[in-house]
Amino acid sequence: MRRWEGGDPGVSNQKTPTTILLTPERKFHSFGYAARDFYHDLDPNEAKQWLYLEKFKMKLHTTGDLTMDTDLTAANGKNVKALEIFAYALQYFKEQALKELSDQAGSDFENSDVRWVITVPAIWKQPAKQFMRQAAYQAGLASPENSEQLIIALEPEAASIYCRKLRLHQMIELSSKAAVNGYSSSDSVGAGFAQAKEHVRRNRQSRTFLVENVIGEIWSELEEGDKYVVVDSGGGTVDLTVHQIRLPEGHLKELYKATGGPYGSLGVDYEFEKLLCKIFGEDFIEQFKIKRPAAWVDLMIAFESRKRAAAPDRTNPLNITLPFSFIDYYKKFRGHSVEHALRKSNVDFVKWSSQGMLRMSPDAMNALFKPTIDSIIEHLRDLFQKPEVSTVKFLFLVGGFAEAPLLQQAVQAAFGDKCRIIVPQDVGLTILKGAVLFGLDPAVIKVRRSPLTYGVGVLNRYVEGKHPPEKLLVKDGTRWCTDVFDKFISADQSVALGELVKRSYTPAKPSQLVIIINIYSSEHDDVSFITDPGVKKCGTLRLDLTGTSGTAVPPRREIQTLMQFGDTEIKATAIDIATSKSVKVGIDFLNY
């Protein structure tokens, strides 16, 4: 769905902003541009009663201890449950999508006709994925009984699947020095190149080189064992994934687990806010955001469209219109004009223009991008140090922030000599299109790397000299060593799709009806005890034994649990060996 109502001037609106508006009674009102525009038009006193939230996706990543009760703060300072907000947003998408499908097909589509795929950043941890699934259940996309109606996909993987399907003419190669498929750019290859040259002439500032002649998919150049990096840079996060091709089916193997960090384009917005604080004072900006929230949003919209106009060799300044209420409120707050503040602030690159605008030199704008872009380049440098990444052939730059010429140029300058750098044409929608392909064939990614070491705490027979004395526990005359970390899977270990880890557990007392086993995780793989530094309890495995045994309780029951890891989410099942009945099992990363 390309057209969201009420897009902004100067910004192609294929994406809708993550904004949501609830009525004073906390009922869903609107989402995206519609929410933003309605909120703006409210009388300021009335607006204080409404709950307006924006850019709330990052909260799931930045909250270390995410639970079902995590709160989000609205623009008026009131708290709302994050789960509620995500459920409202997903429910809105569901209704929009079903309506669009029904309109296009001319007959009603039911939710049961649809398989939903939700994409999440790779750096989100298990709790965030489970949280997303809960929100989707609450929104009615699927239910715990029909859990396979909803797939959670990782964004860089979705992007990677899509990049494999690209033909050369759908890509823009950033380095014009590479001969493309054996033609150097000086050979005239007829109309295709004439078009490309025309494109280059028109887009002087982007200096991209477009290949129009279609010579099959880019994969005709990739052989078995070739590697490529997908750099997915969005609003909130940047994810890096390295994949390797496995022929004959061309399945992907993830060589290097997805890493990344909160270095998205929101970092640029944050720098702009810091600049405003420097000029007008932090106390004023804080007040202004609370007292005139709609005008603050206006200012950020004005900034957004200028942000997209930033380019490496731009020479003319960028003008950002200050909302009237900003100028007005500043005068009341400080007793002197905005113009005076700019003159006094000695921020060199920002001037006041007579039309009531902030005039930023290109250098000033580029400086706002610098911290975020530096973090991304730094992160990529670390990645290229890894031995398994040394021979990468291609680097695909995808995600919304990949549209920024400044980022493209920085990546090209830093890594252009190591591999070919490619930006798909509709780069912001790469993930969406890949997610659809993934939903049609979830088995396309065959091997993943586990981001953490997972295991449980168990008792082992105590071995003199091997086990530390403080871990000794004597029970009924038997010597046990406690707190042993029984590893299911190690960090960075390759996990095939659907790979199972089997373990058998015996209840401490035969009559026990519920076994609760704590699951622990660590970023290191050399873990011996659950008390080691860096080991965190991350979830619980609950085995419900009621109703599994017949009349006679066998003297020693053995419950075999199977955990499935290779998928984007971790699943568990269990069987009572004596009766070979299956045992109800839940694995929970949110409430434990």
Side-chain angles (χ1 to χ4, degrees):
M1 295 171 62
R2 282 178 185 273
R3 294 176 313 283
W4 291 92
E5 289 91 64
D8 290 325
V11 177
S12 66
N13 46 339
Q14 290 172 339
K15 288 194 162 183
T16 170
T18 316
T19 48
I20 200 165
L21 182 63
L22 308 186
T23 65
E25 296 74 49
R26 299 186 171 236
K27 290 277 168 282
F28 174 79
H29 180 274
S30 48
F31 181 88
Y33 294 110
R36 208 192 55 198
D37 296 344
F38 185 89
Y39 180 61
H40 274 212
D41 298 342
L42 286 169
D43 172 72
N45 286 325
E46 200 185 337
K48 285 183 192 141
Q49 305 307 310
W50 289 66
L51 294 105
Y52 178 75
L53 295 101
E54 57 177 353
K55 302 180 187 173
F56 49 82
K57 280 194 308 214
M58 272 306 277
K59 179 79 178 179
L60 291 202
H61 174 59
T62 49
T63 307
D65 47 353
L66 182 69
T67 67
M68 305 295 242
D69 294 324
T70 298
D71 280 328
L72 296 173
T73 308
N76 63 1
K78 292 197 175 130
N79 282 350
V80 214
K81 293 270 169 283
L83 191 70
E84 214 169 293
I85 295 298
F86 278 82
Y88 276 144
L90 291 171
Q91 190 178 347
Y92 172 76
F93 294 150
K94 177 182 97 169
E95 286 160 12
Q96 292 287 318
L98 289 174
K99 178 168 166 293
E100 181 91 352
L101 280 170
S102 304
D103 288 353
Q104 285 184 20
S107 62
D108 274 356
F109 264 80
E110 299 293 318
N111 188 58
S112 54
D113 302 330
V114 180
R115 166 183 265 170
W116 299 95
V117 182
I118 296 180
T119 62
V120 300
I123 54 173
W124 278 14
K125 308 279 190 295
Q126 282 298 332
K129 293 177 197 167
Q130 187 179 335
F131 179 95
M132 239 10 211
R133 186 168 275 285
Q134 285 310 125
Y137 290 163
Q138 202 166 312
L141 296 180
S143 62
E145 298 71 52
N146 277 354
S147 59
E148 51 292 327
Q149 197 183 345
L150 167 71
I151 300 180
I152 296 218
L154 300 179
E155 287 171 5
E157 288 184 354
S160 177
I161 294 165
Y162 179 65
C163 287
R164 294 172 59 209
K165 293 262 188 271
L166 286 173
R167 294 191 124 77
L168 271 179
H169 72 100
Q170 293 168 307
M171 300 191 279
I172 294 174
E173 175 134 22
L174 286 181
S175 54
S176 33
K177 61 173 191 298
V180 179
N181 292 331
Y183 296 121
S184 75
S185 52
S186 57
D187 303 351
S188 68
V189 193
F193 270 92
Q195 246 173 317
K197 285 210 180 86
E198 176 61 60
H199 173 85
V200 171
R201 199 180 57 67
R202 277 207 308 275
N203 288 6
R204 256 294 158 244
Q205 74 270 23
S206 68
R207 294 187 42 234
T208 46
F209 184 56
L210 195 64
V211 188
E212 279 293 351
N213 49 338
V214 183
I215 312 184
E217 300 193 352
I218 191 156
W219 304 98
S220 57
E221 297 182 38
L222 281 173
E223 294 116 42
E224 159 111 51
D226 276 350
K227 305 168 188 172
Y228 60 96
V229 186
V230 176
V231 179
D232 164 18
S233 48
T237 54
V238 168
D239 285 326
L240 314 177
T241 314
V242 185
H243 280 147
Q244 186 174 31
I245 310 282
R246 297 183 32 201
L247 298 175
E249 318 85 39
H251 282 312
L252 303 183
K253 173 180 178 192
E254 185 182 35
L255 276 189
Y256 181 73
K257 65 172 181 222
T259 64
Y263 315 126
S265 57
L266 289 179
V268 185
D269 301 355
Y270 176 65
E271 288 297 319
F272 178 59
E273 195 177 316
K274 277 191 353 203
L275 178 71
L276 291 174
C277 288
K278 203 163 149 193
I279 300 171
F280 302 110
E282 206 171 321
D283 52 345
F284 167 71
I285 297 294
E286 284 311 307
Q287 274 304 303
F288 180 69
K289 277 160 96 172
I290 294 164
K291 291 282 194 295
R292 301 278 186 278
W296 172 254
V297 178
D298 263 338
L299 179 56
M300 289 318 267
I301 294 164
F303 175 66
E304 181 70 27
S305 80
R306 301 331 298 143
K307 181 169 93 178
R308 289 166 186 267
D313 34 21
R314 187 181 172 112
T315 49
N316 49 338
L318 296 121
N319 292 324
I320 296 163
T321 313
L322 284 180
F324 172 73
S325 72
F326 185 97
I327 300 169
D328 187 49
Y329 191 66
Y330 184 77
K331 198 161 173 67
K332 283 194 188 115
F333 190 88
R334 283 266 191 268
H336 59 237
S337 69
V338 166
E339 195 178 346
H340 177 82
L342 272 163
R343 273 208 309 274
K344 211 180 70 209
S345 72
N346 59 36
V347 174
D348 310 339
F349 307 120
V350 185
K351 300 274 176 279
W352 176 247
S353 81
S354 53
Q355 295 90 31
M357 295 182 177
L358 280 185
R359 176 168 284 174
M360 292 180 79
S361 73
D363 292 347
M365 182 55 100
N366 297 1
L368 299 181
F369 279 79
K370 195 173 170 351
T372 303
I373 289 179
D374 286 352
S375 300
I376 294 173
I377 299 292
E378 187 61 29
H379 215 74
L380 272 165
R381 278 230 166 83
D382 292 349
L383 182 70
F384 274 97
Q385 299 303 312
K386 304 259 187 287
E388 59 264 63
V389 187
S390 51
T391 53
V392 164
K393 264 200 180 173
F394 291 96
L395 185 153
F396 290 101
L397 206 50
V398 304
F401 194 35
E403 291 167 16
L406 290 164
L407 178 61
Q408 294 179 359
Q409 188 209 32
V411 172
Q412 175 61 34
F415 307 106
D417 53 346
K418 294 196 176 60
C419 55
R420 288 172 57 186
I421 293 164
I422 287 169
V423 185
Q425 258 176 346
D426 50 356
V427 62
L429 297 178
T430 325
I431 292 162
L432 187 60
K433 294 182 172 179
V436 173
L437 294 167
F438 183 65
L440 295 169
D441 179 17
V444 47
I445 300 246
K446 278 283 188 275
V447 181
R448 282 197 178 80
R449 291 264 163 143
S450 172
L452 296 166
T453 299
Y454 289 101
V456 294
V458 293
L459 291 174
N460 278 354
R461 288 284 166 110
Y462 188 82
V463 181
E464 211 55 68
K466 177 185 162 195
H467 291 139
E470 67 273 14
K471 299 282 184 199
L472 173 64
L473 171 79
V474 180
K475 202 167 158 193
D476 303 336
T478 314
R479 295 158 67 86
W480 297 99
C481 175
T482 65
D483 295 341
V484 176
F485 189 100
D486 171 25
K487 218 183 284 185
F488 290 154
I489 197 153
S490 293
D492 264 350
Q493 182 182 335
S494 292
V495 195
L497 186 69
E499 193 167 303
L500 294 170
V501 177
K502 269 191 204 173
R503 289 287 188 276
S504 294
Y505 296 108
T506 307
K509 303 196 227 16
S511 59
Q512 197 175 335
L513 291 179
V514 174
I515 304 183
I516 292 192
I517 297 165
N518 290 329
I519 301 173
Y520 295 88
S521 68
S522 164
E523 294 186 0
H524 311 292
D525 44 13
D526 50 346
V527 187
S528 315
F529 295 100
I530 58 175
T531 48
D532 289 358
V535 177
K536 293 209 235 341
K537 180 174 160 188
C538 69
T540 54
L541 188 65
R542 186 171 191 275
L543 305 180
D544 183 350
L545 308 184
T546 48
T548 45
S549 59
T551 42
V553 177
R556 184 169 181 277
R557 295 173 72 181
E558 195 180 322
I559 313 294
Q560 188 182 58
T561 51
L562 293 173
M563 257 146 299
Q564 190 177 344
F565 279 92
D567 212 344
T568 45
E569 299 171 273
I570 299 174
K571 302 192 177 73
T573 49
I575 296 164
D576 188 335
I577 300 289
T579 60
S580 64
K581 280 198 182 145
S582 72
V583 176
K584 277 228 294 290
V585 76
I587 185 163
D588 194 340
F589 293 99
L590 270 179
N591 324 304
Y592 54 83

